[in-house]
């Protein structure tokens, strides 16, 4: 492990990209202070440069060097970090995060991921490490090392194995850069969780009128095969992602259960990984049973909607 950490640090320091595991999805990481390294991230992912990156840290005191942390932001970070919460905050003038990493915005997204080896690397590296999900832009995020190998495999010099990502979907993004606290992306930390800690109303991006997470404008999280949010009349060569044990429709080539005990955290953990697996097996489409739209279900349905061919944006 020490050897791996040293190798990771040397690569980050020399402006290379590496793949790091996190509790949400695997990230394609590079030093956020190094514009040339950040250029590599955009290029490898084929990501439009107007879509800013999240900077990762091991400590709140390091975050505070780059963005303004008010009492609300501190409270949330202290409560949820390390963990799947990203905050969008105003950048300091002398912020170490380069302009390219934040797509020239005055704000920066920051988080402390919950993964032992990644935290150790971030702790020793000290500076901000930008890491978008380690997939081609618009495709499905990787939740296992093998998913990364299959796609970006030959484009990165090191992929650190962190086993299957515990949460399985990307972090919740909360914008605290204005007076209103606005959720820009749903994740396993829900708006109720945030409201409880903050004691303040949390707005959803639709309430706010305009979408502020540029990446959310795109069709996203899309598998290569077709994803159907209906289970009526199974298509030819179609697999089913089931939920619960009741009323599972029949007639599909294969059925995988996202959670037979109807546990939404388990659904989130399995979702991308099962889609990767079924896609690999060559099914033409995947039908998904209805997932309750509450709690973590809101984030799951958000990803399903974006991944399905229903979405034209
Ligand atoms: O769970 C995660 O957050 C993973 C792991 C690797 O940490 N990372 C991740 O990064 O999902 P990415 O780049 O795939 O998604 C980052 C999202 C994008 O939708 C981007 O537009 C938004 O964060 N974002 C980044 N900086 C922002 C900013 N300053 N203002 C608004 N949105 C921002
Ligand atoms: Mg992504």
């Amino acid at each position: 492990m020490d050897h791996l950490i040293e190798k990771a640090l040397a690569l980050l320091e020399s402006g290379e990209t590496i793949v790091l595991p996190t509790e949400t999805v695997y990230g394609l990481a590079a030093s956020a202070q190094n514009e040339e390294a950040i250029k590599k991230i955009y290029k490898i992912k084929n990501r439009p440069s107007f879509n800013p990156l999240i900077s990762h840290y091991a400590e709140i005191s390091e975050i505070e060097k780059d963005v303004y942390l008010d009492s609300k932001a501190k409270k949330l970070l202290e409560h949820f970090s390390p963990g799947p919460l990203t905050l969008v905050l105003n950048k300091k003038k002398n912020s170490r995060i380069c302009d390219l990493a934040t797509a020239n915005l005055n704000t920066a997204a920051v988080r402390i991921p919950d993964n032992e080896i990644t935290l150790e690397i971030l702790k020793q590296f000290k500076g901000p490490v930008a890491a978008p999900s380690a997939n081609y832009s618009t495709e499905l995020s990787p939740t296992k090392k093998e998913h990364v190998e299959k796609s970006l495999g030959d484009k990165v010099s090191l992929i650190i194995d962190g086993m299957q990502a515990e949460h399985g979907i990307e972090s919740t993004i909360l914008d605290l850069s204005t007076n209103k606290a606005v959720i820009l992306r749903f994740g396993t930390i829900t708006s109720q969780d945030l409201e409880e800690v903050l004691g303040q109303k949390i707005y959803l991006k639709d309430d706010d009128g305009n979408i502020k997470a540029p990446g959310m404008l795109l069709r996203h999280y899309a598998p290569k095969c077709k994803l159907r949010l209906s289970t009526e009349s199974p298509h030819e060569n179609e697999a089913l992602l089931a939920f619960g044990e009741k009323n599972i429709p029949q007639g599909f080539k294969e059925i995988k259960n996202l959670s037979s005990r109807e546990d939404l955290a388990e659904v989130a953990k399995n979702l991308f990984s099962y889609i990767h697996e079924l896609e690999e097996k060559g099914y033409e489409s995947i039908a998904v049973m209805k997932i309750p739209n509450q709690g973590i279900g809101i984030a799951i349905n958000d990803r399903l909607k974006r991944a399905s061919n229903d979405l034209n944006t």
Side-chain angles (χ1 to χ4, degrees), residues 20-28 45 47 50-56 84-89 101-103 105-111 113 131-135 141 169-173 175 177 184-185 212-217 220-221 303:
L20 292 176
T22 83
E23 81 285 27
T24 57
V25 301
Y26 279 68
L28 177 63
K45 274 183 65 82
R47 178 176 177 120
F50 60 77
N51 191 2
L53 312 175
I54 298 173
S55 288
H56 296 63
L85 177 66
T86 295
L87 296 182
V88 172
L89 297 162
T102 53
L105 297 173
N106 296 325
T107 56
V110 297
R111 86 177 193 97
S133 50
N135 51 276
S141 295
I169 57 173
E170 304 80 359
S171 59
T172 303
I173 303 181
D175 184 355
S177 66
L184 302 181
R185 180 172 73 186
K212 286 219 212 115
M216 302 300 281
L217 288 168
H220 221 137
Y221 316 113
R303 301 303 190 281

Side-chain angles (χ1 to χ4, degrees), residues 224-245:
K224 293 191 190 77
C225 61
K226 196 169 147 68
L227 197 96
R228 272 202 319 136
L229 302 185
S230 152
T231 56
E232 269 167 38
S233 32
H235 290 186
E236 215 175 293
N237 197 17
E238 186 171 53
L240 174 72
L241 287 176
F243 174 74
E245 276 176 342

Side-chain angles (χ1 to χ4, degrees), residues 9-294:
L9 288 168
L11 287 165
L12 287 177
E13 271 151 23
S14 64
E16 291 304 320
T17 59
I18 59 173
V19 174
L20 292 176
T22 83
E23 81 285 27
T24 57
V25 301
Y26 279 68
L28 177 63
S31 168
Q33 304 184 64
N34 183 334
E35 187 148 318
E36 290 307 311
I38 297 302
K39 265 187 202 157
K40 289 182 190 165
I41 290 187
Y42 283 101
K43 183 152 184 266
I44 290 173
K45 274 183 65 82
N46 209 357
R47 178 176 177 120
S49 55
F50 60 77
N51 191 2
L53 312 175
I54 298 173
S55 288
H56 296 63
Y57 301 81
E59 337 248 358
I60 297 176
S61 56
E62 286 292 320
I63 294 182
E64 201 160 17
K65 293 181 181 168
D66 297 327
V67 290
Y68 291 101
L69 283 186
D70 61 9
S71 56
K72 280 187 282 184
K74 265 199 182 131
K75 198 169 179 185
L76 288 174
L77 285 176
E78 274 159 12
H79 192 274
F80 290 106
S81 299
L85 177 66
T86 295
L87 296 182
V88 172
L89 297 162
N90 289 303
K91 245 177 128 170
K92 284 189 170 168
K93 260 216 183 82
N94 57 349
S95 177
R96 293 169 297 178
I97 307 170
C98 70
D99 288 338
L100 185 62
T102 53
N104 288 317
L105 297 173
N106 296 325
T107 56
V110 297
R111 86 177 193 97
I112 302 180
D114 189 10
N115 176 282
E116 206 186 338
I117 185 161
T118 294
L119 272 177
E120 192 51 41
I121 292 166
L122 294 171
K123 195 171 156 198
Q124 293 190 32
F125 188 69
K126 286 201 170 73
V129 171
S133 50
N135 51 276
Y136 290 112
S137 194
T138 79
E139 290 187 2
L140 209 60
S141 295
T143 57
K144 289 181 182 172
K145 185 183 185 222
E146 296 75 56
H147 303 155
V148 184
E149 284 167 343
K150 211 171 62 183
S151 58
L152 305 183
D154 52 4
K155 300 212 163 92
V156 285
S157 29
L158 177 67
I159 304 176
I160 293 188
D161 193 358
M163 313 303 280
Q164 179 164 6
E166 189 51 41
H167 289 265
I169 57 173
E170 304 80 359
S171 59
T172 303
I173 303 181
L174 184 71
D175 184 355
L176 284 180
S177 66
T178 65
N179 291 335
K180 266 187 183 175
V182 187
I183 290 194
L184 302 181
R185 180 172 73 186
F186 296 102
T188 53
I189 293 176
T190 65
S191 57
Q192 294 96 302
D193 296 335
L194 295 167
E195 263 167 17
E196 260 168 43
V197 174
L198 214 54
Q200 177 189 329
K201 182 172 162 53
I202 302 286
Y203 293 83
L204 309 181
K205 63 175 186 282
D206 291 342
D207 298 345
D208 200 36
N210 51 27
I211 300 171
K212 286 219 212 115
M216 302 300 281
L217 288 168
L218 306 166
R219 176 180 146 84
H220 221 137
Y221 316 113
K224 293 191 190 77
C225 61
K226 196 169 147 68
L227 197 96
R228 272 202 319 136
L229 302 185
S230 152
T231 56
E232 269 167 38
S233 32
H235 290 186
E236 215 175 293
N237 197 17
E238 186 171 53
L240 174 72
L241 287 176
F243 174 74
E245 276 176 342
K246 287 176 261 156
N247 306 322
I248 296 180
Q250 297 301 312
F252 294 91
K253 277 267 161 61
E254 178 173 347
I255 298 179
K256 283 191 76 76
N257 207 318
L258 288 165
S259 173
S260 50
R261 53 195 167 97
E262 302 192 6
D263 174 348
L264 292 172
E266 188 178 30
V267 174
K269 180 174 180 178
N270 289 332
L271 184 67
F272 289 165
S273 152
Y274 284 3
I275 296 176
H276 275 290
E277 187 183 326
L278 294 171
E279 184 179 87
E280 182 102 311
K281 285 183 177 167
Y283 294 109
E284 260 162 58
S285 62
I286 303 170
V288 192
M289 276 176 77
K290 209 172 163 68
I291 309 289
N293 204 37
Q294 63 202 39

